[in-house]
Amino acid sequence: MSAIDHYLDAVIRQGEAEARQDGSAAIEAHHLLLGLAAQQDSAPGAVLAAAGLDRAAIRAALDREFEHSLSTVGVSPAAFGLPSPTPDPDRKIGLGASARLALERGFFHASRKRDLRPAHLLLGILEAELGTVPRALALAGVNREDLAERVKETASTADW
């Protein structure tokens, strides 16, 4: 396996752990984003951290997005005392639609597989126009376009 294969495997495994912790049936783009943030020694992890988006900050933004989404239909999580998700260690968790699209968008930025870099995966996630990640980042006050520009600079100058 190449270095990018090992990296993608690590991010997807971390995304799977995040999905399990959420009690999710699939790994989605926001789980991959959390997985990227957990890879602090990588270029995407460094760019996210420099923007104030470590794993805890991303998790907080995702939690705010969840509460905001529920409030749009008149539901307050605090009013109902929702229980924490119960992870199912035996559940087979695959890639969800948003994660697949993020990977496809990221792969598009490299003309060949050997040109693929970790930053391309982050770009694929940030380029989503709809979904949990753009809503969470907007609620956190993050300008996705500016962040994507920083990621593009990193992708062109840093190997990993």
Side-chain angles (χ1 to χ4, degrees), residues 28-97:
E28 296 296 349
H30 63 280
H31 298 122
L32 294 179
L33 182 60
L34 289 164
L36 288 171
Q39 305 288 326
Q40 297 174 351
D41 57 340
S42 70
V47 171
L48 288 168
L53 293 170
D54 61 6
R55 186 196 172 284
I58 293 169
R59 171 51 62 199
L62 290 168
D63 290 345
R64 280 193 303 277
E65 188 279 333
F66 179 70
E67 290 177 14
H68 179 70
S69 292
L70 288 177
S71 72
T72 61
V73 294
V75 176
S76 170
F80 293 99
L82 297 174
S84 297
T86 304
D88 181 356
D90 298 326
R91 174 186 264 172
K92 173 81 172 116
I93 298 180
L95 288 176

Side-chain angles (χ1 to χ4, degrees), residues 51-53 57 60-62 64-65 133-147 150:
L53 293 170
L62 290 168
R64 280 193 303 277
E65 188 279 333
V133 172
R135 288 190 308 265
L137 293 178
L139 286 170
V142 174
N143 183 319
R144 284 185 307 115
E145 291 79 21
D146 288 346
L147 185 57
R150 284 185 259 160

